[in-house]
Amino acid sequence: MVAVSTSDTDQNHTLPPRKRLRTERDASREPTATEPHLFMPFRALGLITNHVPLVLQTRSYKGSTEGPRIHLLTCLGRSWAMWEGGKMALLFVGPDLPQHITSMCMDGNAVWVSSGPTVIKYIRGKEAGRVINPLQTDLASVLVFGSQLLALTEDRTRMLIWGTEDEGMLSNSDVILDEQMSAELQATIEFDTDFAATSILHPATYLNKVLVGSLRGSMQLWNIRTQTCIYAFKSSTMLSLSTQPSHSSIPAITALVQSPAIDVVGIGFASGEISVFDVRTDERLMRMAMEDGAIRALSFRSDGQPILASASSMGHIALWDLNAGGRLLHLIRGAHDGAVTALEWVPGQPLLISSGEDNSVKQWVFDSPTAAPRLLKYRSGHRVPPHLIRYYGEDGKQLLTASSDRSLRCTSVVRDSRSFELSQGSLAKKASHLSIPIASLKFPPISALSYSTTRSKDWDDILTAHLDEASARTWTVKDKKLGKYTFAFDNGGKRGAPTGLVKAVCVSACGNFGFISSTIGAIHMYNMQSGMMRRTFVVGPCPPEVISKNRPVGTTKKQLEQRCVTGLATDALNSVVIASTLDGTINFFDFHTTHLDKLLVLPSDVISVTLHRDSGLLAAICDDLTIRIVDIETRSVVRELRGFRGRILDLAFSPDSRWLVTSSLDSIIRTFDIPTGRLIDAFRTSSVASTVAFSPTSDFLATAHVDSVGVYLWANRAQFSDVSFRSIPEDDIGTNVPLPSMQGSAEDEALEALSSLALAGQENPTNVFLMSPQFDGDLVTLSLLPRSRWQTLLNFEVIQQRNKPKEPPKEPEKAPFFLPTLSGVEPRFVVESKDDTKNKKNTKRLQKASVSSASVFHQKLAAEDPQGDYNDFFAYAKSLSPAAMDLELRSLVTLDDLRAFLNALTCRLRSHRDFEAVQTFQNVFLRMHGEVLLENSETCQDLETLREIQSKETATTGAFAGAYGLLRGSPRVGPLTVSAAINGGIVGATFFSFREYIASPAFRLASGIPLQMQEASSTSQFQRQSTWWDLRMHKIPDTAISGAFTGGVLNAWKRGRSGIVPGVTTAGIVCTLLQMIYNELDIARVKYISRTMQTLEKGLPPIPPSSTSPHPELTFKKPFIERMLIALGLYQVSDEEYLEKLKFKRDTYLHRIHQLEMERQETAASSGESAD
């Protein structure tokens, strides 16, 4: 297929070059159903290369002293990356393609990649053109051959040829053409049915000729200009006779490279055999072989040393000495953890660059021609998709990632060059000595991870549990290596006793203690500094209520005692240790005593738990597809989050503990709002997210997926724009959302991409809660602007006067270049005095321009309808600062402007809107122009109209001004009222109980008044007290002591011992003053009653003597306190009853005395008789 030319209208006329416009995302478009509502794809981390071989390019610049510049091109799946070879820094990343990239090559500034049936040309990361296979079959490999582009189809039966000149490409700056408008290919070469092409090579100095290798070990030389096969090389001449297999299993050609010598090429086979072949004479010059795996790459050294480097599918790299007949010089075992995909020697340098399927690119340097290579620098990532990621630290710049490749890596979010793998020791020497892969010596994959950065500079700060191991290990990020200690379970000295496997780990918030739990229920606490075991927590046997729910009927007693602990957590204050078990219980232990304080039984098995230490919320993943959130303070379940369609894999809290992000096997990432328990965001990804982590700074969500070795970052839209949160039903989850790709033109500016992050559909968020701008009736609406705006405008003159500088700033005098001097002995400079009396006169043109110019304030005021509500004008006026509004009001100098502004105030008052804004504008306006308005008769009618409307609105709002002020000043009136009532009740009960039942009875006993006279003294006190002083001092001591006691007790309860003295003093004085005021009021009442009775006695007739007829006895209701005491079983005794009790006691005592005297007399009589 011949690509369409970029200019087909006029070939003779040369159009000027057009600058390609940058294509940016349209921020005004609405988000589609497939886009997540809360998170947006940002970038990918940890992607270096894949199975597609890398491409090396060196460039030398005239006058450069640093040597040639090395560029590396690697494949990232659907995109490609350009690296600078000197520091292995990322230069830029190409755009994502709809299909995976199968082959790449470079030609000058151009990068060619094949994706599906398309070959695309890029220049500096921007698409410059493309060609399409007319057969619509995928392309396997491409090769730029001079001015032509060669490509092999995936079925390996055809080779397609295009022209790479500008007139043969379809440019992306033109209109995209459909398939019917495309041109024909320059050439199509079809191979024989028994020849399946695998690779293409252009031999040096061969014009229009290419070598094509096949799956059956044969090779052909083609002329692409005439489309003819010049010569066919048989596999028998390239393979040794002794190792040549049968015809049906001839090994395929897997590597084909050009040597520094003309006509000589290197051929690698799937059997591990290597042939140095002369294509001119059809003769094999040398034969080498690698025992482990097929040959995946070959490369000849080009700095004068006859060395051939080969790589196998097992990850080994071999170096062959061609001068010694192909003798093995060095073998690097385990150079890569996977198959090596490419080997490239840097031209003119002893530097070998290799890439492998283990997601790494390495540079090997040779210090001498015969010395073994050493690893100079490398860039690597996870070989297997990570299954556990956690943010490290509080700045959100590092991620701890664990993978099934048995590695623990620290991935930098800011710069890829800062990422590293935590060392597990000198495994390379051991692997080389034992001739085994390095991966076999690493620890098993990490199953649980916990850390604390509090003491990271002092000792180990990471604790990990490994798959099927009975011990946990410590790590240190500061030293980038394995820590000192291994925390293991012991069998307690019992031979043959099970120890269990480590299931969960936890590091305390202080960083001093590490906790490990086993599958048989043991929990040990170790010191992270010394590695010594400190405490042991015992989960105990399975409780009966759990046995009936989650345990089968035939469970033995030993199985009931061995309970698997699936999760561990500690609070921020080291007061409680939380352990979850597989049988569905959450155990709360005391941190210091190891006592089990609380056992919470859940309806289902608990898989894992995650604690947010700041809020005290514990999220438990249960086996019934439910997440239960437990409050560790109340130790009860507060939320249950459901709606999952697959097993829950991981969860993460947001830093403010408001959101909970989850991943599950249904390939949906959900975000729940914890306070409401609603699902506020959910989106489906192309692959299942195995783990999630939320940034401590709330800006990114990190995810890892089962089919990718990278870590993907999603930007939190709520950090950069206003996002409306609403409940999302499960049916609204759209199709798959593409994963983020690697971005940036330089990795140093990766985070600056946030400045151009288009938050689609969020510039004008949908207002879910709609409210009318004006209520019905005569209600007044305020402007909702801060009160300080209006206070500043009202007092703007005072603020200006206060901020006025004491003296104007003085401009420093500029010294001339040559300072003139005065004649004399001492050198003195001439100081020129400036004439400031010259007045600068403005030209007439400036005067006319200043008069004719009108501000936006005046324009909007004049454009409004005189009978309207002035919405646009007041919206603009409210947006002005106090200084700008003051200036605009002062600029109203004509009568028309003054009348227009008066009319605007009047109309706005009638509309009942922006009441406080209108009042402020009116106050400032009348102070400025009041005299002018009163002196002109044209404005008097407008002022009268404004006064009437103002009086009406003021009367409407004046009645509610007090209530409005109270509500605005105290938004919590209801809670404050309830709190005041409760506090007053507590104080009153304490005070009166102490005074009436302790203080007053004590004073009466001390003064000789019996207790039974208490009620009588209160009713006849005025008959007994003879002086006004007695009335004034009534209960003064009782009240003072009771008040002091109440104040001291309550203040000490609230503030501690330091509040006793202030509480006693203040409450005693206040209660004494209140009692004195009450006594004075009582004296005034007595005097008033006395005067009234004397007046009535003078006007009444004398009272007749009382008759003998009985009068009904008046009964009075008993006091409330007495009734409460009666309800409690305590009765008040009258004087007669009390007297009878005393008499009874007296008679009892006299009778007892009489008995004792009689006994003494009898004893004396009996003793006298015995003496006789």
Side-chain angles (χ1 to χ4, degrees):
M1 179 187 72
V2 178
V4 180
S5 174
T6 59
S7 59
D8 53 359
T9 57
D10 190 359
Q11 298 180 357
N12 297 326
H13 178 65
T14 302
L15 295 175
R18 293 181 297 175
K19 182 178 180 180
R20 185 166 58 253
L21 299 177
R22 172 179 287 183
T23 58
E24 296 182 354
R25 187 178 299 177
D26 187 8
S28 61
R29 65 180 179 86
E30 294 295 329
T32 61
T34 61
E35 293 182 353
H37 176 68
L38 188 57
F39 298 100
M40 188 172 187
F42 178 62
R43 66 171 300 196
L45 304 173
L47 297 177
I48 309 298
T49 185
N50 61 358
H51 64 281
V52 178
L54 64 81
V55 179
L56 172 68
Q57 184 186 62
T58 57
R59 292 184 179 182
S60 299
Y61 297 92
K62 185 177 181 180
S64 177
T65 59
E66 298 179 355
R69 186 172 298 177
I70 303 173
H71 289 163
L72 302 176
L73 183 67
T74 61
C75 179
L76 305 179
R78 298 179 186 270
S79 62
W80 52 270
M82 180 73 71
W83 306 82
E84 195 275 320
K87 296 182 179 179
M88 294 297 294
L90 181 64
L91 296 179
F92 46 81
V93 179
D96 281 352
L97 298 175
Q99 299 184 31
H100 287 277
I101 297 175
T102 56
S103 179
M104 302 182 302
C105 63
M106 295 182 68
D107 179 26
N109 294 330
V111 174
W112 298 83
V113 297
S114 63
S115 174
T118 308
V119 180
I120 307 173
K121 177 183 179 181
Y122 294 96
I123 295 180
R124 294 200 60 83
K126 303 298 182 181
E127 182 178 342
R130 62 172 60 195
V131 293
I132 303 175
N133 182 8
L135 304 177
Q136 294 300 316
T137 57
D138 294 343
L139 302 177
S141 63
V142 294
L143 173 67
V144 177
F145 180 38
S147 61
Q148 293 176 318
L149 175 67
L150 281 66
L152 289 177
T153 58
E154 191 178 26
D155 55 5
R156 305 183 186 278
T157 60
R158 293 179 178 87
M159 181 170 61
L160 309 178
I161 305 173
W162 290 276
T164 60
E165 299 294 337
D166 293 339
E167 65 271 9
M169 295 298 299
L170 178 63
S171 175
N172 67 338
S173 61
D174 295 320
V175 180
I176 302 300
L177 304 178
D178 54 11
E179 297 176 6
Q180 287 75 13
M181 299 178 64
S182 302
E184 298 293 333
L185 285 170
Q186 288 187 356
T188 300
I189 297 177
E190 294 189 7
F191 303 108
D192 296 338
T193 56
D194 59 346
F195 188 87
T198 58
S199 56
I200 312 174
L201 174 66
H202 169 233
T205 70
Y206 280 55
L207 184 63
N208 298 327
K209 299 177 182 61
V210 293
L211 285 173
V212 183
S214 69
L215 285 176
R216 295 187 177 274
S218 60
M219 189 170 59
Q220 295 179 357
L221 180 65
W222 283 82
N223 189 320
I224 61 174
R225 186 173 183 180
T226 60
Q227 294 93 42
T228 57
C229 180
I230 300 176
Y231 189 80
F233 302 92
K234 298 181 180 180
S235 60
S236 58
T237 60
M238 295 182 289
L239 292 171
S240 60
L241 297 177
S242 59
T243 59
Q244 189 176 101
S246 61
H247 180 73
S248 59
S249 60
I250 298 177
I253 295 177
T254 56
L256 187 61
V257 295
Q258 174 68 46
S259 70
I262 301 175
D263 302 330
V264 178
V265 296
I267 306 173
F269 296 91
S271 60
E273 187 173 349
I274 304 171
S275 294
V276 179
F277 194 78
D278 189 344
V279 296
R280 185 174 182 179
T281 61
D282 192 8
E283 179 184 1
R284 189 182 67 180
L285 303 179
M286 294 180 195
R287 176 202 174 265
M288 292 82 73
M290 296 186 68
E291 298 178 356
D292 299 329
I295 302 299
R296 295 293 298 271
L298 293 174
S299 182
F300 287 91
R301 188 167 174 175
S302 59
D303 61 344
Q305 299 295 330
I307 296 177
L308 172 65
S310 63
S312 69
S313 59
M314 300 300 293
H316 308 321
I317 296 178
L319 300 172
W320 311 90
D321 188 358
L322 301 181
N323 280 344
R327 180 178 62 88
L328 180 63
L329 191 61
H330 297 289
L331 178 63
I332 310 174
R333 290 187 175 273
H336 289 266
D337 292 335
V340 181
T341 58
L343 283 177
E344 295 289 346
W345 288 92
V346 178
Q349 297 183 22
L351 188 64
L352 179 66
I353 301 178
S354 63
S355 67
E357 294 182 356
D358 60 347
N359 191 29
S360 67
V361 175
K362 299 182 180 181
Q363 296 185 12
W364 309 86
V365 65
F366 293 79
D367 298 325
S368 65
T370 59
R374 60 180 177 86
L375 184 62
L376 179 63
K377 61 185 69 173
Y378 67 95
R379 180 63 59 85
S380 63
H382 280 294
R383 179 172 57 91
V384 182
H387 61 270
L388 182 62
I389 59 175
R390 292 293 181 265
Y391 269 95
Y392 178 80
E394 300 299 329
D395 54 359
K397 295 182 179 180
Q398 290 177 312
L399 278 165
L400 292 175
T401 60
S403 172
S404 298
D405 58 3
R406 302 187 174 191
S407 66
L408 176 63
R409 298 187 61 86
C410 183
T411 304
S412 175
V413 177
V414 180
R415 183 177 298 179
D416 290 337
S417 59
R418 296 178 181 175
S419 302
F420 57 89
E421 179 182 352
L422 275 72
S423 173
Q424 299 184 17
S426 57
L427 302 181
K429 294 182 179 179
K430 297 180 181 178
S432 177
H433 179 70
L434 300 175
S435 298
I436 58 176
I438 297 178
S440 61
L441 296 177
K442 292 185 177 181
F443 300 131
I446 295 175
S447 59
L449 181 147
S450 182
Y451 73 93
S452 175
T453 59
T454 307
R455 305 302 296 270
S456 60
K457 296 182 180 180
D458 301 326
W459 50 73
D460 300 344
D461 55 348
I462 300 177
L463 185 61
T464 58
H466 299 263
L467 190 65
D468 298 334
E469 276 204 346
S471 60
R473 293 177 173 85
T474 61
W475 307 75
T476 170
V477 175
K478 184 188 69 171
D479 298 333
K480 304 179 182 181
K481 65 176 184 179
L482 184 69
K484 300 179 181 179
Y485 306 111
T486 299
F487 302 155
F489 290 102
D490 54 4
N491 54 9
K494 299 180 181 179
R495 181 177 298 178
T499 58
L501 305 176
V502 177
K503 187 67 176 179
V505 294
C506 177
V507 179
S508 61
C510 61
N512 294 325
F513 304 102
F515 298 82
I516 61 174
S517 65
S518 70
T519 55
I520 61 173
I523 302 174
H524 291 174
M525 183 181 78
Y526 287 84
N527 187 283
M528 296 289 290
Q529 180 183 10
S530 62
M532 300 177 62
M533 189 177 70
R534 295 302 185 188
R535 294 185 182 92
T536 300
F537 299 84
V538 180
V539 177
C542 188
E545 59 269 19
V546 178
I547 297 176
S548 60
K549 289 184 179 180
N550 303 330
R551 291 283 184 166
V553 179
T555 305
T556 62
K557 182 178 180 181
K558 185 177 181 180
Q559 292 176 348
L560 293 177
E561 294 179 355
Q562 297 178 357
R563 304 169 61 194
C564 179
V565 180
T566 58
L568 285 176
T570 60
D571 65 337
L573 301 178
N574 287 350
S575 61
V576 62
V577 177
I578 307 168
S580 64
T581 59
L582 189 59
D583 50 18
T585 64
I586 297 180
N587 304 266
F588 297 88
F589 295 92
D590 186 270
F591 187 93
H592 304 284
T593 64
T594 71
H595 176 69
L596 180 61
D597 295 336
K598 174 72 175 180
L599 177 65
L600 181 63
V601 180
L602 299 182
S604 178
D605 298 345
V606 180
I607 306 301
S608 64
V609 293
T610 302
L611 175 65
H612 189 272
R613 284 172 173 162
D614 294 339
S615 63
L617 296 179
L618 180 75
I621 299 177
C622 299
D623 199 30
D624 58 351
L625 305 184
T626 304
I627 296 178
R628 292 175 172 86
I629 300 179
V630 179
D631 186 0
I632 64 173
E633 295 295 333
T634 60
R635 298 179 181 180
S636 60
V637 178
V638 294
R639 291 290 185 276
E640 289 188 354
L641 307 177
R642 305 177 184 272
F644 299 94
R645 301 175 183 174
R647 185 168 64 90
I648 305 171
L649 300 177
D650 198 8
L651 57 85
F653 281 97
S654 63
D656 57 355
S657 72
R658 184 173 181 86
W659 298 341
L660 186 69
V661 184
T662 63
S663 65
S664 55
L665 276 179
D666 54 6
S667 191
I668 298 177
I669 298 177
R670 297 174 173 86
T671 303
F672 292 91
D673 185 66
I674 296 178
T676 60
R678 298 184 306 173
L679 179 67
I680 61 175
D681 185 37
F683 60 94
R684 190 187 308 274
T685 56
S686 57
S687 60
V688 176
S690 58
T691 177
V692 295
F694 214 114
S695 171
T697 56
S698 301
D699 48 2
F700 294 115
L701 173 71
T703 61
H705 299 261
V706 295
D707 61 348
S708 177
V709 296
V711 177
Y712 298 93
L713 297 181
W714 307 77
N716 182 8
R717 290 182 173 181
Q719 291 290 102
F720 313 106
S721 66
D722 295 331
V723 179
S724 59
F725 303 108
R726 60 182 183 273
S727 181
I728 298 178
E730 290 285 343
D731 299 336
D732 290 350
I733 302 175
T735 57
N736 295 338
V737 176
L739 296 178
S741 61
M742 294 190 68
Q743 293 180 353
S745 60
E747 60 178 340
D748 296 341
E749 302 175 355
L751 291 181
E752 293 184 3
L754 288 176
S755 60
S756 60
L757 184 64
L759 302 178
Q762 298 300 326
E763 287 73 15
N764 296 315
T766 304
N767 189 6
V768 181
F769 305 99
L770 298 178
M771 185 180 66
S772 176
Q774 178 64 31
F775 295 106
D776 296 334
D778 296 332
L779 297 180
V780 173
T781 303
L782 303 181
S783 63
L784 300 181
L785 292 178
R787 187 185 302 177
S788 59
R789 174 76 65 88
W790 315 122
Q791 294 293 337
T792 304
L793 183 58
L794 287 172
N795 304 282
F796 189 73
E797 294 181 358
V798 179
I799 296 174
Q800 274 188 328
Q801 189 67 25
R802 184 183 59 190
N803 296 337
K804 184 178 180 181
K806 297 181 179 180
E807 56 182 8
K810 297 180 180 180
E811 184 179 358
E813 297 182 358
K814 297 181 180 179
F817 186 77
F818 295 102
L819 297 178
T821 59
L822 297 175
S823 60
V825 178
E826 296 180 357
R828 291 179 299 170
F829 297 100
V830 178
V831 181
E832 297 181 356
S833 59
K834 296 183 179 180
D835 188 7
D836 297 336
T837 60
K838 297 180 180 180
N839 297 326
K840 296 181 180 179
K841 296 182 179 180
N842 295 329
T843 61
K844 293 183 178 180
R845 183 178 299 176
L846 293 177
Q847 292 178 357
K848 292 180 180 179
S850 63
V851 173
S852 61
S853 62
S855 63
V856 180
F857 183 86
H858 290 76
Q859 294 176 3
K860 289 185 175 292
L861 180 61
E864 288 288 348
D865 184 11
Q867 302 300 327
D869 53 2
Y870 288 82
N871 280 331
D872 296 338
F873 171 72
F874 273 91
Y876 176 76
K878 290 187 295 183
S879 65
L880 296 177
S881 63
M885 189 63 192
D886 183 84
L887 180 62
E888 294 291 352
L889 292 179
R890 292 184 185 276
S891 64
L892 299 174
V893 293
T894 63
L895 290 179
D896 294 338
D897 294 341
L898 296 177
R899 296 189 63 184
F901 191 76
L902 285 174
N903 185 60
L905 295 177
T906 303
C907 295
R908 201 63 175 177
L909 279 175
R910 287 175 179 170
S911 64
H912 309 295
R913 300 177 65 180
D914 300 330
F915 183 77
E916 83 279 25
V918 174
Q919 297 302 314
T920 305
F921 295 158
Q922 178 181 335
N923 190 328
V924 177
F925 176 74
L926 293 179
R927 279 189 306 180
M928 292 179 180
H929 308 287
E931 297 180 359
V932 178
L933 295 175
L934 292 176
E935 291 177 356
N936 293 273
S937 58
E938 294 88 346
T939 59
C940 291
Q941 183 63 32
D942 298 334
L943 286 174
E944 185 63 25
T945 304
L946 179 61
R947 187 188 64 82
E948 293 176 0
I949 300 299
Q950 175 69 19
S951 301
K952 180 181 178 182
E953 296 298 328
T954 305
T956 304
T957 58
F960 302 98
Y964 171 77
L966 176 61
L967 294 176
R968 190 172 179 85
S970 301
R972 300 177 58 193
V973 176
L976 290 177
T977 304
V978 175
S979 301
I982 296 175
N983 294 334
I986 294 174
V987 173
T990 306
F991 173 78
F992 287 106
S993 299
F994 184 82
R995 192 183 75 170
E996 299 299 329
Y997 295 102
I998 298 178
S1000 294
F1003 272 102
R1004 289 190 178 91
L1005 289 176
S1007 59
I1009 302 176
L1011 295 177
Q1012 65 272 17
M1013 298 298 293
Q1014 180 178 358
E1015 187 68 23
S1017 62
S1018 62
T1019 56
S1020 60
Q1021 57 180 334
F1022 303 114
Q1023 299 177 4
R1024 296 184 290 101
Q1025 294 176 351
S1026 57
T1027 61
W1028 296 112
W1029 174 255
D1030 296 335
L1031 293 177
R1032 286 190 174 90
M1033 296 301 298
H1034 177 62
K1035 288 193 175 182
I1036 292 296
D1038 311 14
T1039 303
I1041 295 178
S1042 302
F1045 173 78
T1046 303
V1049 170
L1050 297 182
N1051 207 26
W1053 178 28
K1054 182 179 180 181
R1055 301 182 180 178
R1057 295 182 179 180
S1058 60
I1060 296 177
V1061 176
V1064 169
T1065 306
T1066 305
I1069 295 174
V1070 171
C1071 292
T1072 303
L1073 293 177
L1074 292 176
Q1075 184 63 39
M1076 293 176 67
I1077 294 172
Y1078 176 78
N1079 292 344
E1080 291 295 334
L1081 294 176
D1082 202 5
I1083 291 173
R1085 182 179 63 86
V1086 171
K1087 291 182 178 179
Y1088 173 75
I1089 294 174
S1090 176
R1091 290 195 300 268
T1092 305
M1093 294 298 295
Q1094 291 177 3
T1095 304
L1096 292 175
E1097 288 177 356
K1098 292 179 180 179
L1100 292 177
I1103 300 176
S1106 61
S1107 62
T1108 58
S1109 61
H1111 295 279
E1113 184 179 359
L1114 297 177
T1115 60
F1116 299 95
K1117 189 176 181 180
K1118 296 182 179 180
F1120 174 77
I1121 297 178
E1122 185 176 350
R1123 283 182 289 159
M1124 291 298 296
L1125 293 175
I1126 292 174
L1128 295 175
L1130 303 176
Y1131 298 91
Q1132 187 175 8
V1133 181
S1134 62
D1135 297 342
E1136 292 78 7
E1137 293 176 350
Y1138 187 68
L1139 183 60
E1140 291 296 332
K1141 287 184 178 181
L1142 292 178
K1143 290 180 179 181
F1144 179 75
K1145 289 183 179 180
R1146 184 193 63 183
D1147 296 340
T1148 303
Y1149 292 151
L1150 292 175
H1151 180 67
R1152 180 58 178 167
I1153 291 171
H1154 179 69
Q1155 289 180 353
L1156 292 175
E1157 289 180 351
M1158 293 297 295
E1159 290 178 359
R1160 188 181 61 178
Q1161 292 177 2
E1162 291 178 357
T1163 303
S1166 60
S1167 60
E1169 292 177 358
S1170 61
D1172 294 339

